């Protein structure tokens, strides 16, 4: 069975789901990176490249797609986690 295709919120390219990282707005309103793709909540996918997160941050794509305000500190934490090799 083929891997589902998802779109990166930063570069808007389509990739197999396994190649992307899911960013989740949990039911309590917090934000997290879901490396296992199992966390409950509204999710959006992003490439493992830091430049895609920068594009998504500049365009506020994650905020629109997740329907929440994302503070700068949360973006910084996401960038650190991506650079950490999730």
């Amino acid at each position: 069975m083929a891997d589902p295709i998802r779109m990166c919120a930063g570069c808007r390219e389509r990739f197999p789901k396994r190649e992307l990282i899911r960013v989740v707005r949990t039911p309590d309103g917090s934000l997290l990176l879901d490396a296992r793709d199992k966390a409950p909540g509204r999710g959006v996918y992003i490439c493992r490249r830091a430049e895609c997160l920068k594009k998504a941050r500049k365009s506020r794509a994650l905020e629109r797609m997740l329907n929440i305000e994302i503070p700068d500190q949360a973006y910084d934490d996401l960038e650190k986690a991506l650079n950490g090799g999730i």
Side-chain angles (χ1 to χ4, degrees):
M1 188 162 139
D3 201 19
I5 302 296
R6 299 289 184 261
M7 184 174 57
C8 171
C11 65
R12 312 284 291 169
E13 292 181 36
R14 296 184 184 277
F15 297 95
K17 188 169 135 179
R18 291 181 193 180
E19 295 179 20
L20 301 171
I21 295 175
R22 185 171 176 239
V23 179
V24 178
R25 181 197 69 211
T26 62
D28 67 359
S30 61
L31 193 69
L32 63 93
L33 285 180
D34 182 18
R36 294 183 41 199
D37 203 26
K38 300 286 183 194
R42 174 79 173 136
V44 64
Y45 292 87
I46 193 156
C47 294
R48 297 176 185 268
R49 300 181 304 224
E51 58 267 12
C52 284
L53 181 59
K54 288 178 185 174
K55 285 180 185 178
R57 184 178 191 170
K58 185 176 180 181
S59 68
R60 303 177 82 74
L62 295 179
E63 293 183 30
R64 284 193 318 272
M65 292 175 177
L66 295 174
N67 198 25
I68 60 170
E69 292 269 336
I70 301 176
D72 288 336
Q73 182 61 43
Y75 276 115
D76 295 340
D77 294 344
L78 289 173
E79 189 172 352
K80 286 178 190 173
L82 279 175
N83 291 335
I86 281 187

